[in-house]
Amino acid sequence: MRNNPPLIFLSLSLLTLLSACAGMQPARGPDTTQSLTIAAPISTTERLSTSPSFTAEEQDLPTVDLNGELLYQILAAEIALQRQYFTAGTNEYIRLAERTRDPRFAERATQVALLTYENDAALRASRLWVELAPDRSEPRQMAAVAAIRAGELEEAFGHMEVLLSGADAVSEERFERMAGLLSREHDVQEAFRLMQRFVETRRDDPGALYAYAHLAVRAGEMEKARQAIDAALDLRPGWHDAMALRIRILLLTDGPDAAIAYLSDAVRDYPKDASLRLAYARTLAEMRHYQEALDQYGLLAKQVVPNTDVLLSMA
């Protein structure tokens, strides 16, 4: 059989069609509410397309001979996963990646191992995925998670440094994405300590402080969260997202009255910010300060167009 990388996509897509109804629960882990559908791995649906159109990234994939032995290994891996033999299936995909040097197999192994909390396999697979696709960000994100779970914090820190060292490394979106990724970990204290170490050298970056504050709230480190978000607002006054997090911290620590006082000052300082005024009105209503809430909704009705939702809230 001639070398033809798209045939691997075809074989995996056929497996997807054959097993589309095979939804399963992870064998273990703190979050067993999220089903594991082996037929449709996270973030791989488009790459398993049988379409002849490929991205530049996919055109760089190795040429693999889809012979009978390789197809047998793919089938064996998928059947093992469907039977919930997650370790066997993951290891088979790792062997496929090592044999073919195709990052798609390492990706599959990493995703399944992370979802099923096969931590050793996840670390091994993610390391291989990074090796096979060093210019992509997703392998390093998953490798950071796998390293945290395995207690390899130095390795996780290294992946984070690489992820945020590019030209747009100071972008808020990247910091938030990293904090969100870490906050989903069952060992949130380890994730928090890692983020704390990362932010120590970025105290002048409001995006880093904002992301750190989010993770601090998740870890229950409320005073550190307050200090971080205050520092972020000092560096970037009037930042709406940071102010919203400040309000959340106040609600969790000092109660609604403190949040109302903060919101009152905020809408005075930023009278054109409709989102802040809406948060103020809702908080007043929840605290049964109805007349004050109506006053704020009345101002919003003049400020927001169309104002149907505002009028409904007033009613």
Side-chain angles (χ1 to χ4, degrees), residues 242-289:
M243 294 174 75
L245 181 56
R246 184 70 170 84
I247 294 164
R248 180 185 173 195
I249 293 170
L250 282 171
L251 286 169
L252 291 171
T253 57
D254 299 338
D257 289 337
I260 287 176
Y262 180 81
L263 281 164
S264 176
D265 292 340
V267 296
R268 183 192 63 227
D269 295 337
Y270 305 98
K272 295 183 180 180
D273 192 323
S275 297
L276 274 177
R277 194 173 297 279
L278 178 60
Y280 185 32
R282 286 175 173 171
T283 305
L284 287 168
E286 289 171 4
M287 291 299 297
R288 300 187 179 185
H289 298 177

Side-chain angles (χ1 to χ4, degrees), residues 17-70:
L17 292 174
L18 289 171
S19 56
C21 296
M24 292 181 288
Q25 296 292 331
R28 58 182 173 274
D31 183 6
T32 57
T33 60
Q34 181 182 11
S35 64
L36 170 63
T37 304
I38 296 299
I42 297 174
S43 303
T44 59
T45 305
E46 293 182 359
R47 286 191 288 278
L48 296 181
S49 170
T50 57
S51 167
S53 175
F54 298 99
T55 65
E57 179 181 281
E58 289 163 344
Q59 290 172 357
D60 293 335
L61 292 169
T63 300
V64 179
D65 183 9
L66 186 64
N67 52 34
E69 182 182 357
L70 184 63

Side-chain angles (χ1 to χ4, degrees), residues 70-93:
L70 184 63
L71 184 57
Y72 173 83
Q73 284 184 271
I74 296 171
L75 285 167
E78 284 298 319
I79 290 171
L81 295 177
Q82 291 175 18
R83 300 287 178 86
Q84 300 194 33
Y85 297 117
F86 297 124
T87 300
T90 301
N91 287 337
E92 193 64 34
Y93 268 120

Side-chain angles (χ1 to χ4, degrees), residues 81-130:
L81 295 177
Q82 291 175 18
R83 300 287 178 86
Q84 300 194 33
Y85 297 117
F86 297 124
T87 300
T90 301
N91 287 337
E92 193 64 34
Y93 268 120
I94 292 174
R95 284 191 287 271
L96 279 164
E98 291 172 338
R99 171 186 167 187
T100 64
R101 310 303 292 173
D102 192 319
R104 289 168 292 185
F105 292 128
E107 176 181 9
R108 182 76 159 132
T110 301
Q111 291 168 340
V112 172
L114 286 174
L115 281 172
T116 57
Y117 286 84
E118 297 282 344
N119 295 337
D120 291 340
L123 186 61
R124 181 183 168 198
S126 63
R127 285 170 173 171
L128 182 57
W129 191 12
V130 170

